[in-house]
Amino acid sequence: AQSVTQLGSHVSVSEGALVLLRCNYSSSVPPYLFWYVQYPNQGLQLLLKYTSAATLVKGINGFEAEFKKSETSFHLTKPSAHMSDAAEYFCAVSKNTGNQFYFGTGTSLTVIP
Amino acid sequence: DTAVSQTPKYLVTQMGNDKSIKCEQNLGHDTMYWYKQDSKKFLKIMFSYNNKELIINETVPNRFSPKSPDKAHLNLHINSLELGDSAVYFCASSQDGGRLKLFYEQYFGPGTRLTVT
């Protein structure tokens, strides 16, 4: 069975500081992993995805994530937070068949000016 | 051009009513989904259709019935609405994995906020 755990339902960082949002997965087979962002009152937008190519994945808006099999982690980072990064972030894992996603519970990012 | 669109954006109705939410995608995708997001932002898949055929049907009350008239549309009909149905409902679509079982990301609509009073 596949699932994801996002540690920290709320994360606050100062503008310009490092953003680190944690995601751990459990999967019986190598997974596909995704990070989505949801801005207030909007749908989900794909930030980046890991599909067994490079372990360091670069996404939009300066975000990146590193797949670490030994730690079963796929943490999302950004070197310098911007006010516009304030949003809800979801980690998701998929079965490699059937197109079914399992979403984490989300992490709300607050950026303090 | 909106890739995945939903109507209406907001829906306020009384308990016991029947309502529908429409979803359309213009991406040429074969697979469409409905998700429910509760007040705590938890996202849970409800249904998935591939080429108009139901492939995922999670534990959802049978008051919820998806209907796919064609590949580009997946509508959600809800009978006898209850207070607990209040949530944001998201439609999404993706390419099919095909024989190679390649996985493609899902594209989400803007959501429909359903409030049952």
Side-chain angles (χ1 to χ4, degrees), chain A residues 36-87:
Chain A
Y36 279 83
V37 61
Q38 184 181 22
Y39 298 105
N41 299 314
Q42 294 187 27
L44 279 73
Q45 179 182 0
L46 181 70
L47 273 177
L48 49 81
K49 64 179 180 180
Y50 168 77
T51 56
S52 74
T55 56
L56 182 62
V57 182
K58 293 188 184 300
I60 61 171
N61 301 339
F63 284 92
E64 62 182 35
E66 186 172 6
F67 173 72
K68 291 187 177 180
K69 186 177 178 181
S70 60
E71 299 177 7
T72 60
S73 69
F74 190 57
H75 301 330
L76 182 71
T77 61
K78 182 174 180 177
S80 177
H82 193 272
M83 296 299 294
S84 60
D85 294 327

Side-chain angles (χ1 to χ4, degrees), chain B residues 6-11 21 34 87-90 110-114:
Chain B
Q6 295 178 228
T7 53
K9 189 169 176 63
Y10 299 95
L11 183 54
I21 306 171
W34 276 108
V88 181
Y89 292 84
F90 287 100
T112 296
R113 183 174 294 277
L114 172 65

Side-chain angles (χ1 to χ4, degrees), chain B residues 33-100:
Chain B
Y33 313 79
W34 276 108
Y35 287 87
K36 179 180 180 180
Q37 186 176 46
D38 63 23
S39 57
K40 295 184 179 179
K41 301 285 188 179
F42 182 65
L43 269 166
K44 188 176 181 345
I45 191 166
M46 300 173 69
F47 301 103
S48 172
Y49 267 73
N50 180 268
N51 279 316
K52 297 169 50 180
E53 182 180 340
L54 181 66
I55 56 172
I56 295 172
N57 184 356
E58 293 294 307
T59 306
V60 175
N62 57 15
R63 299 181 294 104
F64 290 78
S65 54
K67 290 186 173 27
S68 181
D70 55 58
K71 268 184 11 176
H73 296 84
L74 181 63
N75 303 323
L76 183 65
H77 188 77
I78 315 169
N79 289 327
S80 303
L81 278 155
E82 300 178 357
L83 291 176
D85 297 332
S86 296
V88 181
Y89 292 84
F90 287 100
C91 178
S93 72
S94 70
Q95 288 180 290
D96 183 28
R99 285 194 306 158
L100 295 177

